[in-house]
Amino acid sequence: MKVLVTGGAGYIGSFIVKVLGERGDDVLVYDNLSTGHRWAVLYGKLVEGDLNNSKTLENIFSYFKPDAVIHMAASVVVPESVKYPLKYYRNNVINSINLLETCERFNVKKFIFSSSAAVYGIPHTNPVKEDMPLNPINPYGSTKLVVEKLLQDLPIQHVCLRYFNVAGADEKCRIGQAVKDATHLITRCVRTALGKCRCLEIYGSDYDTDDGTCIRDYIHVEDLAQAHILALDYLMDGGKSSIFNCGYGHGYSVLEVVNKTKEVMNIDFPVRFKGRREGDPPVLIADSEKIRKMLNFKPRYDDLEFIIRTAGNWEKRVWEENLF
Ligand code: UFG
């Protein structure tokens, strides 16, 4: 199968490309390398370019003739989206429209979209099911919801995967997240454990949770990549357009993640409590029944210790080899 992966040189995209490549699919990655890396593309070809460039997109579609598109390319940092909403609408919404117009022109009818748990906003109950109300509380979540809605209005067979908190790295330490200004909790924790940051700041200790810190459902990036393969095969088998949560169905508080990191990396590090971060829901846990039942999703790495260990080993390599 020929699969075009936008954002395939990024953190999550590179794992999807790896799994597609391992099973013999023909992969073309389209990535502007703003946060992605050439070294991260282990299989297929990489074309460097931006989704705002319709001409290049057309060239790619006419040359590669994809059977399906996995659309990962996006800006993904919640606090940044609060600061620069227009950047998020441009990169996430307008660029998705460009891509979908090209799909229409070239009659590509299978489309997988990287959506986010951020579309739920502050859910009334947790774990959250796919059909619960959607009320994003930050521009990032809003842009993902706009594209989900847009897809529903198009005659394109699609799957939206709503990612919860993605973390961890390749067990063999070949790929993982490599960003200088990391904002994600697990990356920051392992970075602090490695002595690359002075202190881990915890945003908010007065939430209505057992220890007062936010709770998230952390999914290992390999399991998330597997979910894309299942979604792709589902679409190829004629599956109906659908939306799936991608999480494990249970969560950890920020403090639990911090303490687990200290234990796994066998080192203590300083922690400082700060005020709440804007745009943070208190608890976000996936109800993952739908993807388990409909796509037969069987996570292999539902283990916080494994997630932190792989993230820590990878982070060490990133700094040693300056892979940023
Ligand atoms: N946090 C800290 N200190 C840090 C970093 C994070 O306390 O140094 C806290 C945050 O306030 C939040 C939790 O850790 O409560 C998780 O924060 P992340 O930044 O790791 O992740 P987010 O939950 O903000 O967002 C992530 C992805 C989004 C996705 C969302 C879905 O970045 O793309 O998960 O749950 F939408």
Side-chain angles (χ1 to χ4, degrees):
M1 194 183 336
K2 289 178 167 215
V3 189
L4 173 67
V5 185
T6 73
Y11 169 45
I12 302 169
S14 65
F15 281 84
I16 294 167
V17 170
K18 183 183 77 160
V19 185
L20 289 169
E22 278 170 353
R23 70 172 200 166
D25 286 331
D26 191 0
V27 182
L28 191 140
V29 171
Y30 189 60
D31 198 302
N32 66 7
L33 300 181
S34 60
T35 56
H37 304 276
R38 259 175 214 287
W39 52 254
V41 181
L42 299 181
Y43 290 89
K45 291 191 195 71
L46 166 68
V47 175
E48 186 180 344
D50 203 281
L51 285 173
N52 66 15
N53 189 336
S54 302
K55 193 77 216 134
T56 320
L57 266 180
E58 274 184 22
N59 289 340
I60 281 176
F61 274 69
S62 62
Y63 149 81
F64 186 61
K65 300 189 175 53
D67 300 304
V69 172
I70 300 182
H71 178 34
M72 313 278 311
S75 298
V76 299
V77 179
V78 171
E80 187 193 37
S81 79
V82 175
K83 217 168 161 193
Y84 306 110
L86 284 171
K87 169 179 171 184
Y88 275 67
Y89 276 85
R90 179 167 295 286
N91 285 348
N92 297 359
V93 178
I94 296 183
N95 284 351
S96 296
I97 293 174
N98 286 345
L99 178 63
L100 284 162
E101 278 174 347
T102 318
C103 287
E104 186 179 72
R105 212 164 301 138
F106 287 84
N107 205 27
V108 174
K109 293 274 185 208
K110 321 266 181 215
F111 194 90
I112 296 179
F113 176 58
S114 303
S115 188
S116 168
V119 297
Y120 295 113
I122 301 177
H124 295 304
T125 52
N126 270 288
V128 55
K129 274 187 191 301
E130 287 85 350
D131 58 2
M132 281 184 180
L134 305 172
N135 295 304
I137 58 164
N138 51 59
Y140 169 68
S142 302
T143 62
K144 291 289 171 182
L145 185 54
V146 170
V147 179
E148 281 197 9
K149 294 259 181 226
L150 164 62
L151 282 165
Q152 285 165 17
D153 289 333
L154 298 178
I156 189 165
Q157 202 193 345
H158 63 274
V159 164
C160 296
L161 295 176
R162 291 183 182 154
Y163 307 167
F164 282 65
N165 288 58
V166 190
D170 179 40
E171 204 178 1
K172 294 187 192 141
C173 226
R174 289 169 297 178
I175 46 174
Q177 191 171 41
V179 281
K180 258 229 158 78
D181 303 317
T183 60
H184 289 134
L185 179 65
I186 291 185
T187 305
R188 280 200 174 171
C189 282
V190 296
R191 196 168 277 192
T192 313
L194 291 170
K196 305 297 179 192
C197 300
R198 274 219 320 257
C199 151
L200 190 278
E201 293 177 335
I202 294 183
Y203 303 131
S205 53
D206 58 350
Y207 285 100
D208 188 14
T209 59
D210 281 351
D211 64 19
T213 65
C214 288
I215 296 176
R216 295 287 183 275
D217 186 337
Y218 295 92
I219 175 171
H220 193 278
V221 61
E222 293 274 7
D223 279 333
L224 183 65
Q226 202 51 46
H228 288 74
I229 304 302
L230 295 171
L232 186 61
D233 290 346
Y234 165 83
L235 286 181
M236 293 321 268
D237 289 346
K240 274 204 325 217
S241 294
S242 205
I243 295 174
F244 300 100
N245 284 339
C246 294
Y248 291 144
H250 57 87
Y252 297 96
S253 73
V254 174
L255 260 179
E256 283 173 326
V257 171
V258 169
N259 290 332
K260 196 65 171 177
T261 308
K262 292 180 177 180
E263 183 193 314
V264 172
M265 301 198 60
N266 197 23
I267 191 157
D268 200 10
F269 53 79
V271 168
R272 188 165 34 146
F273 286 94
K274 301 255 294 186
R276 293 182 177 199
R277 193 176 70 175
E278 203 184 330
D280 270 347
V283 182
L284 208 44
I285 299 172
D287 183 317
S288 53
E289 278 311 296
K290 189 174 173 193
I291 190 165
R292 287 176 198 261
K293 283 208 178 99
M294 280 182 65
L295 301 189
N296 198 22
F297 174 60
K298 291 196 178 90
R300 287 184 299 164
Y301 304 106
D302 179 0
D303 175 359
L304 186 61
E305 190 174 324
F306 179 81
I307 292 176
I308 293 173
R309 184 159 48 77
T310 53
N313 290 341
W314 169 253
E315 190 67 18
K316 204 160 165 269
R317 183 172 166 214
V318 168
W319 285 86
E320 279 168 5
E321 298 180 28
N322 195 19
L323 293 176
F324 298 112

